[in-house]
Every structure is written in structure tokens, then in C-alpha cells.
Amino acid sequence: MTSVSPVSHASPHSRKTLRKVAFASAAGTTIEFYDFFIYGTAAALVFPVVFFPALGAAAGTVASFGTFAVAFFARPVGAIIFGHFGDRIGRKKTLITTLLMMGIATVAIGLVPDAKTIGVAAPILLVVLRFVQGLAVGGEWAGATLLTAEYAPKGKRGLFGSFPQIGPSIAFALASATFLITNLTLGDKSEAFITIGWRVPFILSAVLVLVGFWVRSSIEETPVFKNARQPVVRKLPVLESIKRQPKEILLAGGSLTLLFALFYLGTAFLTSYAASPTGMKLGRVEVLSTGIVASVFVAAATLASGILSDRFGRKKVIATSCIIAVPWSLVLFPLLSTGTVLAFGVGLTVTLMIFAIAYGPAGALLPELFETRYRYTGAGMGYNLAGVVGGGIVPLLAAQLAASPGTWAVGLLLAGIGVFSILCTLALPSREHNDMEEASAAASLKESTTPVRATAS
């Protein structure tokens, strides 16, 4: 028999501490996703020419998005690896590791020679480094949301959970702005931009990573994790989460699949479609400027939806996003077919705002579903399972469907995913009123009354 001392509850945190945690979580995800998104922007604008010049425009775009998709298959692996350490050694140390790993891989991408210089080795190196990016971001999201959710005051978990969620929208704006400035400096279609200019955002990310390292090093480990640490021998977090809560992992993945599909369709595929000679034929400056404006609305919608989820519930807000997405998916490409900058601006902004309505509450929803001892792993697995389908497969399919039979098929695909995500969201349990620390304490005390047999890794 193993005994456990009663779990002591942390005293309410000062406003200064809460502000620091909110800033650290938002800054960290901004930097991580900036690194992640500049790849998507480059994949849409220059990678077909730089790394796949022999394939032609259409096939080169498909191949480019194939390398983009690689990271999404790495993300569940990253969620398992970093979830293990996040549940064992703590959220803070793990998040510092993912940040540094992402930064090194991103800078390295900016230094990879093109296909004309080293041939087939260029896309191979690109795929390897993209996989490393996927591992890092796979471990990032769950840790960042746990950081805020486990610090959040009672009744404000949705608000605090939305702070790391605004990171991707800020990152998209920064990525677009960096490419825009580089593009304006070197010219829209200049050889300098294709050869050197696109590399600048990747190399400059090193500065952001150093800032993020300083910010994350200055925060304390979450009190919920500290108080949950006890001498009970535990299994591997990944095995325990799969054994005890497989339903929550699968349903969370299904619920957020549309969220990923909308975001990466907007930030990667629509960027490519708008600038493509076979698409809307807009200039890079117009496309990148529109992305910056859209990001402002997305950040505001993310915070608003997080606040609304505290009042109306996570499931209701996320389901609303999915319901709105179904008809919007069917009218999106007919709107874009008009070929105007205004149509692209409306299409991109509305698509990403629908995403934001679901994304804000997701930062609190997933941590609430799992026990503290495997919360990092469980939340990360559910989130990145959605990423594989919605973020990895959908943009790749969209590029193929747009070529044949046409963009109407992309809209139909999105609408179908929307229906699927609605059903999964409605089937999820509602746990926003649970106290995360009390639930974990009860689980630990229950486990302590049973004999512990074999040691775990």
C-alpha cells in the first residue's frame, strides 16, 4: 500500500503572476508558430520553384505541400515524446526544449541550398527539418495551454486558455509581414527574392527564439503539477491516457479536425491559390498584406470566443463554429472565383474567424478532459490527431482537388469535415466546471488505496 499526503491547494495567484503567465504562453506560441508558418508561406510562394523546379507549377505546388504535410504526421509523435516528459518532469522544462528545437530547425531550413545546387538532397533535407519542426510544435501546444489552464482563476479558464491561442494569429501576421518587407525590398518576382530573400524570415527567427527562451525561463512551474506530484508509481503517460481515456482523445481529435482544416487552408492553401497563375493571379504584396489584416480579426475573435466559452460552455461555442463552417465552405470558392483582392480578403478573413471561434475555447477544453498525471500527453495527442487529418491531409488534398475536378470539390470536402466535427463535438463530455486540481487529487487518493505492483519506466 502506498500512502499519499493530502494535496494542498495553492493560494490565489497575484495579478502580476497571472499576467506573466499569460504573456509567456502567448509569446511562446507566437514564436513557435511563427517558425512553423513561415514554412507554409514559403511553401505557397517559393518552394515549388526553389526545391521542385523540374515538376512544373501544379505538380511543384503539390510536392511543396507534401513537405508541408510531413510536420503534421510528426506532431502526434512529438505530442507523445514531449507529453511524456511534460507529465514527468514538468511543463516549463519541456516547453523550453520544444522552443529551442523549433528554432534550430527553422534556422537550418533557411540555410538549405536549393535543388539546382545540391539536387535531390535539397528536398530531402527540407523534409527532415520539417519533421523536426513537427516534433517540436507537437509538444508545444499542450504545454502552453496547460500552463495557462492550470494557473487560471475559477470561472476564467476559457479566457486564460485563449492567451496561448492568439499566438498562431500573431505569428501568421509576423510571418506575412516579414515576407512582405523582404518582398518589397527585393521585388515581387526578382531573382534575389527567390534565391536569398525567402531565407531571411527563417534566419531571423533565431532572435525571436532567444527572446522566447528568456520569457519562458522566468516563469514558475504550474501549482497544479507541483501539487499532483506524489510517490505513486505511474505507468507511461501515453499508455495510461490511451487505456483510461481513449474516447476523449478520439473525440477531441474529431472535434478539432475542422479547426485545423480551416486554418491551414486559409494560411497555406489560399495563400498559394491567390498568388498562383492558375488561381486568382494576385500579386504577393496583395496576398501578404491581406494576411496581416485578417490576423487582427482572428486574434480578436480568439479572445472573444474564449471569454464566451466561460459563459456558455466550450462545446456550444465550438459547435457553433462547425455549424457556420458548413454553408461557408460551399460559398467560399465561388466568392474567390471573382478574382478580386476584396473577395480574397473577405474569404480569408471569414474562414480564419470561423476557425478562431473554435480555437479560443480549445485551449481550455482539452486540458479539462484529462487528469493531471497524463494531461500533457492526452491533450497533445487529441490536438495533434486533429492536426494530422485537418492540417496535414486536407491542404494536400485541396491542392489536388483544385487542379481536378475543381475548387468546388474543396468546398465540399470542407463541408463534410464540418459535419463530422459537429458530431464529435456534441459527443464530448462537458467538464468546464470541474476543478482541475481537486479532480487530480481525488484520482491520486483513489489510486493510493490499491497495491502498486510493477515498476514503470
Side-chain angles (χ1 to χ4, degrees), residues 7 63 104 107 116 120 128 155 166 168 202 227 231 270 286 305 364 434:
V7 175
I104 292 169
V107 172
K116 294 179 181 178
V120 72
V128 171
I166 67 173
F202 288 87
N227 291 340
L270 289 187
E286 295 170 319
S305 63
N434 290 2

Side-chain angles (χ1 to χ4, degrees), residues 148-175:
T148 51
E150 291 182 347
Y151 262 107
K154 185 177 181 180
K156 293 186 178 180
R157 202 177 297 146
L159 168 62
F160 274 77
S162 66
F163 285 123
Q165 303 296 75
I166 67 173
S169 56
I170 299 173
F172 182 51
L174 286 176

Side-chain angles (χ1 to χ4, degrees), residues 428-444:
L428 276 169
S430 296
R431 292 176 182 160
E432 57 256 32
H433 300 298
N434 290 2
D435 186 297
M436 299 174 81
E437 191 168 359
E438 288 178 357
S440 297
S444 297

Side-chain angles (χ1 to χ4, degrees), residues 353-374:
M353 285 187 72
I354 295 172
F355 144 82
I357 294 171
Y359 197 56
L365 174 75
L366 266 70
E368 290 168 344
L369 292 176
F370 301 97
E371 294 182 23
T372 302
R373 56 187 176 180
Y374 53 81

Side-chain angles (χ1 to χ4, degrees), residues 265 269 333 393-404 406-407 409-410 413:
L265 188 87
F269 176 76
F333 285 96
I393 296 176
V394 171
L396 188 59
L397 286 177
Q400 296 174 322
L401 291 173
S404 178
T407 53
V410 180
L413 172 66

